[in-house]
Amino acid sequence: MSCGQTLIDYGLRSFGIGERLLPKTDITFCEQFVLIGSGMLWNIYFAVCALALGFIFATVLALGKASSHPWAQKSAGGFIFFFRGTPLFIQFFFAYELFVQLPRNGFEFAFLGTDITVETRWLTKAWAGALVVLWLNTSAYTAQIFYGALRAVPAGDIEAAKAYGMTGAQRFRRIIWPNMLRLSWASYTNEAIFLFHATTLVFFSAFPAWRQQGDALYYASYFAEQTFNPFIPYPIVAFWFVLGTLVIIGLFGLVNARLNRHLPSAPKIRYRPRLIR
Amino acid sequence: MRGFLFCMFESCADPSSLTGLAWFACYLTNGKHLLFYQSFGTVLGLLALAAPLALLFGFAGALAKRSQIPGLRQIGQVYVAMVRGIPDVVFFLFVPLLIDQGIEVVRHYSLCESTGPIYQGNDFVVCDAAKMPLSSAEPWVHSLYGFALALAAYAIVFGAFAANTLDGALSAVPTAQLETARAYGMNARQSFVRIQLPQMWIYALPGLANLWQILIKATPLLFLLGIEDIVYWARELGGTKGSRFAYPHPDWRIYYFAALLVFYMIMTWGSEKVFNRLQVRMSVGQATLSGKGAAL
Amino acid sequence: MKKALISALAAGLFAVPALADTVRMGTEAAYPPYNFVNDNGDVDGFDIDVGNLLCSLADLDCTWVKNDWDSIIPNLVAGNYDTIMAGMSITAERDEIIDFSEGYLPPDPSLYAALEGTDAGVLTSGVVAAQTNTIQAGYVAESGATLVEFATPDETISAVINGEADAVLADGAYIQEQIEATGGQLVSMDSVMIGGGLGIGVRESDTELKAKLNAALAQIKKDGRLNDLIIKWFDDESKAIY
């Protein structure tokens, strides 16, 4: 079978498109490379969705933690403490066990005279359940980064904005928020990279792979078990992830340049370590 | 310990007759649970050994990265960059296998009398004397060996991160201090050992504290290495148990995982407290803001 | 500790080979009544009883090693242990990679289980859970039902109870034990005959060990001790055919 055919058969296998059965005998390098690459789509899906949702929630959490309202401060702080203080790996296990306890037929309740059913069953599936965990987890880490940046926004900038007669909302949108992003962007880039790496844990914790649709590491371990040779599939995963990491660094670098375009030269991003949480 | 517990709960001999608290007391002290409690020791042991080992690897990495020798410098840089670009889970799955097979191949060629092919079809065959550890070794030797392999994986991954932190901290030592050392007539080696190294710690501390927290949160990955750690026992104990077992119960995994979450929260919370105090103590007399007293 | 390790290794290295050969026996320890961890934290079950009996007859010094089902064959092949006794059915597919001893349990029909009141149609058109790399998973994949795979047997049962899957397919004895353990939430459905009975997995290159195990196996089949163990663990005369 040619490699082009393999690409057609297995290129989208991780989403259930293409050949139904995984290769079992006479596994070629091409099959490993394509199928593991196909699994990468899940890692990208989890990373992009969790980061996008987490960005919004983290802003809210950071504002909550920085607010003077004791209730907002406590709840945001507690949320951040819980997710930053425990391992993501166990959060996955716990969340899965929690999601399966939810009623199978969903919650039914009356709202404004109409009966509403909240479906909960999909939460036990990786695409939703694991995404929720990753989303909350990255929100907590990002919120902590944003919180630190919020406190570092120059007081003079805010005073100047007040002097210009800006309202609170205007001040936030035009002064505080851009400053917060600019100051936290280097740390946030690190968070994005490590969230991307953490997506490999999804199918290694409790979430089952439906119809053998899994992420890059899921297929890599499948091949390692089928071929009894871990020395090919794992380096392939490594290759894909190095590639992905470089793309993240590139994209975030572009945003960084835009955030700092008013400065004579944009501060360079330094990547600091932060792996599995 | 076990004898003591059995004395305490002599009534545990017949669990089916127990109810309520007595049942729980016996259930939580059966042999399987004692193994669960021991596995917390495994986690703490891993932390206690992996941290200094990673620091050692980190030092080697940082020195390599800063080395004047061209080849060595690139090795240091690649080591640090590689661990950053690749998910640590991949290392955890791969490194122990690599080391294990590597050791056995070397031993096969040095210890075996007749060296047949190692790869026979699917089989990976080394002679009995080359097995690591030997098949005849006690089970605890095997578990210790598995643990050592896991430890090596942790040291390599966390060593790369520590190398980065230490490299940064070494650069952060004010040049004025090093120039002063030179002015006192110290050579490069002396100024490194006497000034730069001791002065580096205060700059490295926040990064190392962060790394320690990450290390704590990476310990459940021991489970992926096939080591019977707290995650293994939580899953095993929590599963549904039928009447074949002395203490039948439905699926309780969620409670066991909740207990693990609490354990980790205590660990990270306590570590944070310790590091904060350490930071205050080490800052005394330093040329930093906190070191000069709150003279803002 | 370190010293102890080194001296233990040295002792093992230079000692004259002991009289009894050491054999490391791999098992999953999560599939009652075949193999599981009992309340004392020790491995227990039919596989373990048979294995220990064979070892004593063949004059082998056996230790049990727990290993996840996923990687149980790769780790045998890599030499981490020497046999697999984990309720593993003899199949042509597995036989290509490893070798099997003679059978030590006749084929056990696999059973579907589902929540009470489940329509039998789900077995061919619904979502069916099975453990990864089992004969049951292979069967479901070809049955037309949607296969959902789990790493451990425990999880396949939970998946049905919490509604993630419509039914589960596993070895009959295991299913019956779980139906009892879950207090009547599950009922057994159809049974299907797959696999060729249980055998002891050994490396293909390990012909000597295989011969020893087969000899011991023939002996306990002849003197009825295997039948006794089958009845002890499965309480089913029809399986005690040796």
Side-chain angles (χ1 to χ4, degrees):
Chain A
M1 194 164 65
S2 75
C3 202
Q5 186 60 39
T6 305
L7 189 64
I8 294 166
D9 285 348
Y10 289 117
L12 293 172
R13 173 63 179 78
S14 61
F15 282 92
I17 300 165
E19 194 67 28
R20 170 78 186 82
L21 295 171
L22 297 184
K24 279 209 164 136
T25 46
D26 303 324
I27 291 167
T28 63
F29 178 82
C30 178
E31 281 169 341
Q32 299 201 22
F33 192 79
V34 168
L35 201 48
I36 291 173
S38 168
M40 279 302 286
L41 296 175
W42 275 108
N43 297 97
I44 294 168
Y45 159 80
F46 282 127
V48 169
C49 293
L51 280 173
L53 294 170
F55 183 82
I56 300 164
F57 190 36
T59 312
V60 176
L61 279 172
L63 287 174
K65 193 175 176 181
S67 86
S68 52
H69 196 295
W71 191 83
Q73 214 179 37
K74 282 255 159 58
S75 50
F79 179 91
I80 293 172
F81 173 74
F82 174 78
F83 277 97
R84 291 181 78 235
T86 52
L88 178 64
F89 193 55
I90 298 188
Q91 287 169 17
F92 276 132
F93 275 111
F94 181 76
Y96 180 75
E97 297 296 332
L98 193 69
F99 291 151
V100 299
Q101 312 267 327
L102 296 174
R104 246 186 315 150
N105 301 322
F107 292 108
E108 279 181 38
F109 59 92
F111 180 70
L112 298 176
T114 45
D115 287 331
I116 294 176
T117 310
V118 180
E119 278 288 334
T120 47
R121 198 171 165 168
W122 43 266
L123 276 173
T124 57
K125 304 210 176 136
W127 70 266
L131 180 61
V132 167
V133 178
L134 284 166
W135 164 50
L136 296 179
N137 186 281
T138 189
S139 294
Y141 279 91
T142 310
Q144 185 67 19
I145 295 169
F146 284 176
Y147 170 71
L150 269 182
R151 299 190 1 141
V153 172
D157 288 18
I158 300 172
E159 276 167 26
K162 278 184 187 161
Y164 272 108
M166 289 188 195
T167 63
Q170 280 176 326
R171 277 204 304 278
F172 177 75
R173 203 169 56 78
R174 296 192 190 163
I175 309 296
I176 299 176
W177 195 65
N179 259 314
M180 177 192 88
L181 280 188
R182 188 172 64 81
L183 293 171
S184 59
W185 201 254
S187 308
Y188 185 54
T189 308
N190 282 310
E191 167 58 23
I193 292 173
F194 288 106
L195 178 79
F196 180 47
H197 289 181
T199 58
T200 50
L201 287 177
V202 171
F203 294 102
F204 270 79
S205 56
F207 288 94
W210 285 75
R211 296 180 166 229
Q212 298 180 312
Q213 299 167 15
D215 77 330
L217 200 59
Y218 171 83
Y219 289 122
S221 72
Y222 170 83
F223 283 125
E225 278 156 24
Q226 290 288 322
T227 62
F228 307 101
N229 180 1
F231 300 106
I232 294 173
Y234 289 128
I236 293 177
V237 181
F239 165 82
W240 281 114
F241 267 96
V242 168
L243 202 68
T245 307
L246 289 175
V247 170
I248 293 180
I249 291 175
L251 290 177
F252 276 68
L254 290 178
V255 177
N256 189 49
R258 180 167 168 83
L259 283 172
N260 290 295
R261 66 191 183 283
H262 60 289
L263 296 177
S265 68
K268 276 191 78 176
I269 292 183
R270 282 200 58 212
Y271 298 101
R272 267 183 265 98
R274 250 272 309 293
L275 66 171
I276 286 314
R277 294 74 71 73
Chain B
M1 174 78 177
R2 209 153 138 190
F4 164 72
L5 285 168
F6 274 116
C7 285
M8 221 170 122
F9 303 111
E10 243 171 49
S11 52
C12 293
D14 182 19
S16 54
S17 66
L18 298 169
T19 49
L21 258 171
W23 187 90
F24 264 105
C26 288
Y27 172 65
L28 291 176
T29 51
N30 71 4
K32 219 169 172 181
H33 273 87
L34 296 184
L35 289 173
F36 176 48
Y37 305 141
Q38 273 174 27
S39 66
F40 282 90
T42 309
V43 170
L44 296 178
L46 177 85
L47 278 172
L49 292 171
L53 263 181
L55 211 54
L56 210 67
F57 272 67
F59 253 117
L63 292 182
K65 226 181 137 191
R66 300 171 71 83
S67 152
Q68 308 289 332
I69 308 161
L72 200 60
R73 195 163 70 218
Q74 270 80 38
I75 291 174
Q77 282 167 345
V78 168
Y79 170 49
V80 174
M82 197 171 67
V83 176
R84 250 192 260 150
I86 301 168
D88 55 349
V89 194
V90 177
F91 280 95
F92 288 129
L93 292 176
F94 187 64
V95 169
L97 274 172
L98 187 74
I99 299 177
D100 184 34
Q101 295 210 350
I103 291 177
E104 291 198 340
V105 167
V106 170
R107 282 166 63 95
H108 181 75
Y109 286 117
S110 57
L111 294 174
C112 297
E113 283 163 9
S114 61
T115 50
I118 290 181
Y119 293 96
Q120 299 178 12
N122 290 317
D123 295 3
F124 176 84
V125 185
V126 294
C127 70
D128 285 345
K131 284 261 172 69
M132 188 75 186
L134 296 166
S135 300
S136 57
E138 294 287 319
W140 66 265
V141 177
H142 283 272
S143 357
L144 197 65
Y145 178 66
F147 183 79
L149 288 179
L151 195 59
Y154 276 87
I156 288 175
V157 170
F158 281 86
F161 290 97
N164 213 37
T165 305
L166 294 177
D167 179 36
L170 283 169
S171 306
V173 175
T175 35
Q177 295 183 1
L178 299 178
E179 280 164 6
T180 313
R182 286 298 174 87
Y184 271 104
M186 294 187 199
N187 61 28
R189 195 189 151 73
Q190 282 171 325
S191 80
F192 179 75
V193 174
R194 293 187 194 171
I195 307 296
Q196 199 172 6
L197 214 48
Q199 285 296 88
M200 167 206 75
W201 289 108
I202 182 67
Y203 300 101
L205 191 65
L208 292 179
N210 186 30
L211 209 54
W212 169 257
Q213 300 280 28
I214 299 161
L215 180 63
I216 292 176
K217 286 179 267 173
T219 49
L221 298 183
L222 270 180
F223 173 68
L224 296 182
L225 300 173
I227 288 175
E228 284 167 22
D229 73 331
I230 51 180
V231 182
Y232 170 85
W233 284 113
R235 222 172 60 155
E236 171 64 40
L237 286 163
T240 311
K241 295 286 174 287
S243 60
R244 185 174 299 289
F245 296 88
Y247 302 92
H249 61 76
D251 189 345
W252 280 355
R253 277 177 294 187
I254 192 163
Y255 305 112
Y256 281 91
F257 285 124
L260 295 194
L261 287 178
V262 171
F263 166 71
Y264 277 105
M265 264 201 285
I266 293 170
M267 289 288 290
T268 48
W269 178 79
S271 304
E272 199 181 318
K273 288 267 171 278
V274 170
F275 274 110
N276 283 347
R277 291 187 61 168
L278 204 62
Q279 175 85 33
V280 172
R281 276 190 55 178
M282 282 179 64
S283 299
V284 174
Q286 284 291 342
T288 57
L289 261 186
S290 52
K292 287 183 171 164
L296 273 168
Chain C
M1 193 69 162
K2 206 170 172 187
K3 246 186 184 163
L5 171 67
I6 291 167
S7 55
L9 287 177
L13 243 175
F14 302 114
V16 189
L19 286 175
D21 285 334
T22 312
V23 175
R24 288 165 57 76
M25 319 266 283
T27 192
E28 185 194 11
Y31 205 53
Y34 298 94
N35 51 75
F36 58 94
V37 181
N38 66 18
D39 288 291
N40 285 326
D42 302 320
V43 285
D44 205 346
F46 173 67
D47 290 328
I48 281 75
D49 270 3
V50 174
N52 286 339
L53 183 58
L54 292 176
C55 287
S56 67
L57 287 176
D59 202 18
L60 301 167
D61 183 10
C62 292
T63 50
W64 290 91
V65 183
K66 285 181 251 174
N67 197 94
D68 280 346
W69 177 260
D70 280 16
S71 58
I72 205 160
I73 290 179
N75 277 334
L76 172 75
V77 168
N80 289 0
Y81 37 81
D82 308 303
T83 67
I84 299 174
M85 287 190 81
M88 185 179 271
S89 302
I90 303 170
T91 65
E93 217 172 46
R94 288 177 185 144
D95 210 7
E96 271 177 27
I97 301 156
I98 59 175
D99 250 1
F100 283 101
S101 70
E102 299 296 321
Y104 63 93
L105 187 73
D108 182 21
S110 297
L111 263 185
Y112 283 100
L115 293 175
E116 206 158 15
T118 306
D119 181 68
V122 299
L123 304 186
T124 46
S125 58
V127 177
V128 179
Q131 193 182 6
T132 319
N133 284 335
T134 55
I135 47 172
Q136 288 85 9
Y139 182 84
V140 174
E142 284 160 24
S143 70
T146 301
L147 167 68
V148 52
E149 292 179 298
F150 292 87
T152 62
D154 226 30
E155 288 167 306
T156 61
I157 301 292
S158 310
V160 177
I161 289 176
N162 63 50
E164 216 186 314
D166 299 318
V168 51
L169 182 64
D171 281 316
Y174 176 74
I175 289 287
Q176 270 154 8
E177 176 131 353
Q178 295 304 312
I179 287 176
E180 183 270 326
T182 49
Q185 287 187 69
L186 295 174
V187 290
S188 62
M189 312 270 291
D190 289 1
S191 77
V192 286
M193 202 65 183
I194 31 180
L198 305 191
I200 308 169
V202 292
R203 277 184 297 278
E204 292 197 317
S205 52
D206 223 351
T207 46
E208 196 186 329
L209 178 63
K210 185 180 155 187
K212 275 187 193 168
L213 291 172
N214 274 338
L217 209 48
Q219 196 179 334
I220 61 168
K221 281 180 182 173
K222 211 165 125 194
D223 64 18
R225 276 190 278 181
L226 182 57
N227 285 343
D228 293 346
L229 284 178
I230 292 173
I231 290 166
K232 173 187 169 192
W233 286 102
F234 298 98
D235 200 17
D236 183 354
E237 299 276 348
S238 68
K239 285 184 181 127
I241 55 162
Y242 296 110

